[in-house]
Amino acid sequence: MNNEPSSIFSDFLSASRMEGASEATVSAYSSDLAIWQVALDQKGKNVDQVTTSELEEILLIWLKPTNEEPGVARSTLQRRVSALRSYYNWRLRMRLGDRNPAEAVATPAHRRPLPKVLSIEEVGSILDRPDTSTTAGLRDRAILELLYGTGARVSDVVGLETNRLFLEDGYLVYYGKGSKERQVPLVGAAAEWLRRWLVDGRPEYVAKWLKRKRSVRKQAPDITVFLNQHGGPLTRDGITKIVMQYILSALPKGRASLHSFRHSFATHLLENGVNLRIVQELLGHVSIETTVIYTHFSRDYLADVVRNCHPRSR
């Protein structure tokens, strides 16, 4: 199949670039619109003629699995509809059309699978795994404590810089998803292990970098918080590998992931009475609905809430 959309879509893609859309977004639009083009051609329709019901018929065809084709994932269908809506909205802005037939298309519901919620005991077991008598173990403990203690994404930790740490004032600033800053309290074990890494571990790795790079006069990565054993910045893949080895060591049969720390951070705060809006702020969610999706309560906790708060349960 030709994955390049025709000229009817190429002007939209060029405009998207000029309006600041990322290359990843433009690439996704291009791929999805090329597929729509094939489907419309098969129905003998063009973008001016197609109706909302006809677009929904196409979706139903994609949903239905066959012996040759297993069917398209619902999340993929949602993305494809979103691309088409964006295209029609651009046409409206440019006065190239007078309607958006994709606007009313009913996309199939998609339930996001939730990460495992770790118990406090499971979290503790993972956090205790690194050998903190070693430099690498000290670094790894600080990373784990930050993931759970601040609800950080992996991208937050990868991009953390020393000039965004305010240890004496008890907070740090993450520059993460969507290029947005968020200020997060840094207290307790997370603050303590991060301080120990900065004082007792990180200087050793910086010295290794300087020794290796002295001949080419390269400066040490003096603002990156977490470094690899050679003194260079840890990558996302590097942190993922580090964290997963401790998760699998502590919970060999548990279906936990890196995001389980963030998920558990939110759930444990809510279970201890923290307001949902505060958790939303800590996680950096724009919408409260996203925070609700990423939180989960145990049956025992919900039963306790009803038992303690409902007038007819005591």
Side-chain angles (χ1 to χ4, degrees), residues 87-103:
Y87 166 71
Y88 277 113
N89 284 333
W90 171 78
R91 282 174 58 89
L92 290 173
R93 294 197 306 272
M94 300 302 294
R95 298 184 179 179
L96 299 174
D98 58 3
R99 65 196 183 93
N100 184 344
E103 189 63 39

Side-chain angles (χ1 to χ4, degrees), residues 38-109:
V38 171
L40 291 171
D41 288 345
Q42 289 176 346
K43 290 187 70 68
K45 297 288 183 178
N46 61 41
V47 291
D48 293 313
Q49 298 172 327
V50 71
T51 65
T52 297
S53 61
E54 288 170 333
L55 292 177
E56 290 179 334
E57 286 176 14
I58 293 173
L59 283 179
L60 289 174
I61 292 172
W62 282 340
L63 269 174
K64 186 177 180 180
T66 66
N67 291 334
E68 295 79 22
E69 177 62 47
V72 179
R74 294 175 187 271
S75 58
T76 302
L77 295 180
Q78 288 179 318
R79 192 195 68 222
R80 288 178 180 172
V81 172
S82 177
L84 200 61
R85 284 175 181 159
S86 297
Y87 166 71
Y88 277 113
N89 284 333
W90 171 78
R91 282 174 58 89
L92 290 173
R93 294 197 306 272
M94 300 302 294
R95 298 184 179 179
L96 299 174
D98 58 3
R99 65 196 183 93
N100 184 344
E103 189 63 39
V105 169
T107 55

Side-chain angles (χ1 to χ4, degrees), residues 33 68 93 95 124 129 150 152 167 179 228 277 286 305-306 311:
L33 291 174
E68 295 79 22
R93 294 197 306 272
R95 298 184 179 179
R129 290 285 159 167
T150 66
L167 300 182
S179 299
N228 59 37
R277 291 287 182 184
V286 175
V305 169
V306 174

Side-chain angles (χ1 to χ4, degrees), residues 20 67-68 73 81 87 112 199 203 215 223 227 240 295 303:
N67 291 334
E68 295 79 22
V81 172
Y87 166 71
R112 183 184 304 179
V199 174
S215 59
I223 62 171
L227 309 174
T240 299
T295 56

